[in-house]
């Protein structure tokens, strides 16, 4: 082999040398150093991953807590616990919805939120049982406790009993005493629109129905009287007053006038149909007979009594049935349903006279004889000496 060939071979060998070195297996020392580098790299990567996870969990955890509070605030409204403290009077208006009541309670500091109360009402199934009226509540009480106190049984009400046969003036005094309002307030209210039937001719006397009423503290005089007229209208509808009056040939106003006299003149409920019959019999006589009722005369004189004097019978009042024929201008009291029924359905009989011979015992005697009448008058005088 010549030198050129040898050089070519050697050169080729030199060209391939580096390639042979890269493919040569590393030494043990190099392998050890490589393993150490890889372990350090893995440890750094693991540590970085752990830190990243901690950071992510922290972010998610904090956001989750905030989100939980936000959702809780939306889904679970604010509410107090316990029965609350102090007192506050809440008025529920006629026709108020549960939502409107809830808003009032929140504004007055009774419940923490209107939504909490609405939820409590729904849970208790009391949405339809919220009744208008006044209620004594407490501040900062739970919504559930507030629902319990708004039961109609817990309403703040003033009970007022209006006896049958009271005149309007006496009714005003009774109402004023019970409600703390003035008599003048009721007199003024009586001139307003109370829902009186047309046949009442705008006059309340006779149409303030006697009964036991329960009024909330802040009710107005007009509302009280309207409620009494409403009660009369209910009774009139039940008794079919207009139709029944027409059957007897009288107006409903006439019937109420007769009923008021029956109420004033009767010693007992059993006497009422008989007293009514005496009134009808006197009105039907030809020529007509004066009613001569002390109760109507006393009303016209603004007095009370069961035996008019001769001087009193000379009064020019249109309510003086000793002087003027027929019925007085209107009712002389506010009769109850028994008197109205008696006026519509009088007893059968020919009586023209009656005398309450013993007022203390409520004994009334009836007769068709004038002679018998004078004997009954003497009996009355003996019992009232």
């Amino acid at each position: 082999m010549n030198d050129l060939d040898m050089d070519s071979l050697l050169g080729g060998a030199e060209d391939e040398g580096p390639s042979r070195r890269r493919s040569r297996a590393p030494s043990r020392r190099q392998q050890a150093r490589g393993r150490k580098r890889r372990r350090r790299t893995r440890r750094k990567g693991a540590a970085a991953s752990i830190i990243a996870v901690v950071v992510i969990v922290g972010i998610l955890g904090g956001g989750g807590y905030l989100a939980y509070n936000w959702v809780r605030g939306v889904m679970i409204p604010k509410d107090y616990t316990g029965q609350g403290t102090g007192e506050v009077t809440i008025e529920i208006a006629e026709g108020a919805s549960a939502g409107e009541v809830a808003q009032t309670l929140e504004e007055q500091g009774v419940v923490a939120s209107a939504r909490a109360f609405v939820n409590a009402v729904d849970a208790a199934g009391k949405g339809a049982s919220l009744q208008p009226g006044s209620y004594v509540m407490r501040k900062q009480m739970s919504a559930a406790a507030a629902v319990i106190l708004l039961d109609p049984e817990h309403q703040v009400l003033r009970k007022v009993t209006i006896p049958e046969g009271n005149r309007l003036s006496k009714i005003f005094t009774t109402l004023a005493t019970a409600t703390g309002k003035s008599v003048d307030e009721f007199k003024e209210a009586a001139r307003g629109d109370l829902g009186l039937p047309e046949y009442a001719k705008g006059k309340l006397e006779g149409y303030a129905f006697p009964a036991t009423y329960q009024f909330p503290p802040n009710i107005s005089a007009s509302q009280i009287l309207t409620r009494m007229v409403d009660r009369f209208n209910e009774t009139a509808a039940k008794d079919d007053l207009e139709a029944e009056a027409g059957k007897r040939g009288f107006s409903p106003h006439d019937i109420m006038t007769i009923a008021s006299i029956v109420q004033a003149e009767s010693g007992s409920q059993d006497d009422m149909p008989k007293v009514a019959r005496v009134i009808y019999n006197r009105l039907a006589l030809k020529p007509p007979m004066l009613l001569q009722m002390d109760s109507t005369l006393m009303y016209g004189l603004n007095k009370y009594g069961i035996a008019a004097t001769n001087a009193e019978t000379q009064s020019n009042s249109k309510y003086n049935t000793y002087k003027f024929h027929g019925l007085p201008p209107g009712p002389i009291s506010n009769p109850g349903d028994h008197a109205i029924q008696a006026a519509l359905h009088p007893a059968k009989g020919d009586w023209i006279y009656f005398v309450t011979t013993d007022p203390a015992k409520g004994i009334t005697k009836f007769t068709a004889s004038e002679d018998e009448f004078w004997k009954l008058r003497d009996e009355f005088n003996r019992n009232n000496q």
Side-chain angles (χ1 to χ4, degrees), residues 72-335:
R72 187 176 186 275
V74 173
M75 301 303 293
I76 306 176
K78 291 186 297 182
D79 196 3
Y80 297 125
T81 58
Q83 300 299 313
T85 58
E87 284 189 359
V88 56
T89 300
I90 299 297
E91 176 71 19
I92 296 182
E94 188 80 37
S97 66
E100 290 169 331
V101 174
Q103 192 62 42
T104 298
L105 294 178
E106 180 181 341
E107 291 171 356
Q108 295 295 322
V110 175
V111 298
S113 66
R115 182 174 291 277
F117 178 78
V118 171
N119 289 348
V121 168
D122 290 342
K126 294 289 186 69
S129 65
L130 296 178
Q131 299 296 317
S134 297
Y135 300 82
V136 174
M137 312 291 286
R138 290 185 285 272
K139 294 277 190 176
Q140 298 185 352
M141 62 192 307
S142 72
V147 171
I148 293 173
L149 285 189
L150 284 178
D151 188 284
E153 293 182 359
H154 297 152
Q155 278 195 49
V156 179
L157 298 171
R158 290 177 175 148
K159 182 181 287 188
V160 185
T161 298
I162 305 299
E164 297 176 343
N166 273 3
R167 294 179 188 174
L168 200 56
S169 57
K170 181 65 179 294
I171 290 176
F172 288 165
T173 300
T174 301
L175 291 174
T177 301
T179 65
K181 303 181 188 303
S182 69
V183 170
D184 287 341
E185 285 183 79
F186 288 101
K187 287 181 178 179
E188 178 64 27
R191 290 191 280 268
D193 183 6
L194 303 176
L196 285 165
E198 186 175 349
Y199 52 78
K201 303 177 182 178
K203 304 295 185 181
L204 182 58
E205 188 78 90
Y207 302 96
F209 195 77
T212 295
Y213 295 90
Q214 291 184 321
F215 301 121
N218 61 347
I219 191 171
S220 69
S222 178
Q223 289 172 322
I224 289 173
L225 297 182
T226 297
R227 191 172 296 184
M228 297 179 74
V229 172
D230 288 344
R231 188 70 178 272
F232 165 77
N233 288 332
E234 291 172 6
T235 300
K238 174 183 70 67
D239 294 342
D240 201 11
L241 177 60
E242 294 191 54
E244 291 297 324
K247 291 178 182 178
R248 304 206 65 81
F250 290 85
S251 72
H253 187 66
D254 290 337
I255 294 296
M256 291 305 300
T257 301
I258 293 171
S260 71
I261 299 172
V262 168
Q263 186 78 66
E265 295 281 350
S266 299
S268 69
Q269 183 178 315
D270 290 340
D271 289 336
M272 289 182 177
K274 293 181 179 180
V275 172
R277 173 50 63 190
V278 169
I279 294 171
Y280 283 118
N281 285 347
R282 288 189 179 187
L283 292 174
L285 287 175
K286 303 295 183 184
M289 180 180 179
L290 289 166
L291 289 182
Q292 295 182 320
M293 298 289 174
D294 291 336
S295 57
T296 64
L297 172 61
M298 293 299 176
Y299 180 84
L301 295 173
N302 196 26
K303 294 181 178 180
Y304 288 92
I306 57 174
T309 66
N310 185 62
E312 287 170 336
T313 62
Q314 305 308 308
S315 166
N316 288 322
S317 167
K318 292 298 182 182
Y319 287 87
N320 182 3
T321 52
Y322 280 88
K323 179 178 287 189
F324 299 100
H325 283 91
L327 293 171
I332 61 169
S333 69
N334 294 271

